[in-house]
Amino acid sequence: STDFCTKYGDKIECQEKSKFTRYILYDVNPPEGFNLRRDVYMRMSVFARKMQQNFGDWHLVLPPWGQLYHWQSIDVGLQELLPWSLFFNVSSLQQFAPVMEMHQFLQEIGTSSLDLVYILQHYADAFESGKWEEKFEVEPCHEDNKYTHVNVGNYRGPFWGYTNITAKQVECLSFHGHASQLQEVIKDLDARTIMFDHAEIALHDTFGDALYWKARRSMRFASVLVKLASNFRSEYLNSTDKADGTVRPDDWTQETPREGVLGGPYLCAHMRRKDFLWGRPKQIPSLESAAHQIKDHLEKLKLSTIFIATDAPNSEFQELEQHLSQYQVLRYKPSKIVKQTYKDGGVAIIDQIICSHARYFLGTYESTFSFRIQEEREIMGFDSETTFNRLCGDKEKKCNKPSMWRIVF
Ligand SMILES: C[C@@H]1O[C@H](OP(=O)(O)OP(=O)(O)OC[C@H]2O[C@@H](n3cnc4c(=O)[nH]c(N)nc43)[C@H](O)[C@@H]2O)[C@@H](O)[C@H](O)[C@@H]1O
């Protein structure tokens, strides 16, 4: 088979292609938020795992976090080029798929010019034919993009905010199908470093089966965030893993199916506000109505403590507190040092961890932030009735419960 050669000073070393380490990189449509990006990661990790199983030593490079629209705090320093280890346990991820951080990739590869970038795009007629057909093809770009051709074999682009990364070739790839189809796209290429932009266009290979859940279970949070959440639970919510029945093995591969987990003696409501107020006006309750709904649940559950996870400004939180004055209403307020170290993403994860341990969870309609909490509770073994619930809009006639995506081992 073809050899790959690398130049070290004036020496050239060649190796058989199948034995050479090769790298897949990706990025996502800029406006997408943190929790949809986690979903895209799952698709890409399944794809990279299959590449490694079927076609040699392929690795997935974790795209650094940064510049997300929702990360608006100004008192936390730059929220750019953040490694995955700030939020997730990377060794856990590696037990599912061959992933590495960007800084490790840059160290290993010793060059910052990627061989090939594919910008995924939908087929122009993707939603017209109604016929399901997996296909892909290099085509002219349908829309403007942020890659510019500087000179032959040299493109500049966003590249997660790295100004020193460039690409040798950039193509638009019309794509329709599952992430695994990307195997067909690259398996016979000679490129060593291939990036997919707009990776969200590739769909999950399978949704909700054991492999999907393995990828999901491998996404353990960074242990320091778990610790910060545990400290808050024990200090303010009378909640410990031992008492709540949520003790888990450190290693996710050792986790087994569980049922009927109790959870801490509090209700958690994830109250998505901000852009959802105008994006989903019918399904987002007023603060007064949210308080009423929460009260009803507290009474049924005979609980008196409520934890609120929200992106709402403090003034809205205080108004909600007033409507619920006979109960204990809590919100996680990070210390300055926690906020500066773990930033908006880390604080959001701490909120998610606290909610995932509650006796009962109320989410927000179509929020991926709520979906990720639901999955966490499925993994831990909560009864689905305590998990798949949501706040309803003030005038919503038919307030359907969220779809139940039950865990499969
Ligand atoms: C309509 C879509 O909605 C999607 O939002 P949705 O799924 O809720 O969920 P996310 O994609 O996570 O985006 C919401 C972001 O807002 C902050 N946020 C939301 N809720 C909370 C909370 O309870 N606590 C804390 N600390 N932070 C919160 C957090 O930074 C989070 O990543 C957007 O990502 C898409 O771009 C799009 O706008």
Side-chain angles (χ1 to χ4, degrees), residues 31 33-35 70-71 270 272 275-276 309-310 348 351 367-369:
F34 187 63
N35 287 291
H70 300 94
W71 291 356
H270 171 232
R272 184 76 161 77
D275 49 316
F276 268 42
T310 186
D351 269 348
S367 165
T368 55
F369 190 103

Side-chain angles (χ1 to χ4, degrees), residues 86-87 224-225 228 337-347:
L86 192 65
F87 303 135
V224 37
L225 299 178
L228 286 164
I337 178 93
V338 165
K339 200 153 179 208
Q340 275 178 357
T341 312
Y342 303 105
K343 314 204 183 259
D344 286 332
V347 173

Side-chain angles (χ1 to χ4, degrees), residues 17 22-24 47 51 58 116 118 136 181-191 194 196:
K17 186 164 138 185
R22 301 168 79 187
Y23 307 87
I24 299 162
F47 157 53
M51 279 308 291
W58 284 91
L116 176 58
Y118 280 125
F136 62 85
Q181 193 187 204
L182 296 171
Q183 293 183 95
E184 299 304 313
V185 177
I186 63 170
K187 70 181 174 45
D188 297 322
L189 300 181
D190 282 340
I194 304 177
F196 293 99

Side-chain angles (χ1 to χ4, degrees), residues 345-361:
V347 173
I349 288 174
I350 293 172
D351 269 348
Q352 286 183 311
I353 301 174
I354 299 171
C355 284
S356 63
H357 285 83
R359 190 146 309 161
Y360 195 87
F361 175 64

Side-chain angles (χ1 to χ4, degrees), residues 29-38 68-72 269-276 279-280 307-312 331-332 344-352 355 364-373:
N29 187 24
E32 300 300 351
F34 187 63
N35 287 291
L36 183 96
R37 284 164 191 266
R38 286 175 61 187
L68 296 193
Y69 162 77
H70 300 94
W71 291 356
Q72 293 166 349
H270 171 232
M271 225 175 63
R272 184 76 161 77
R273 305 284 295 174
K274 288 201 174 152
D275 49 316
F276 268 42
R280 311 258 193 292
F307 177 79
I308 301 287
T310 186
D311 55 342
R331 173 179 201 180
Y332 176 72
D344 286 332
V347 173
I349 288 174
I350 293 172
D351 269 348
Q352 286 183 311
C355 284
T364 291
Y365 179 74
E366 279 185 353
S367 165
T368 55
F369 190 103
S370 293
F371 294 162
R372 302 290 92 85
I373 294 171

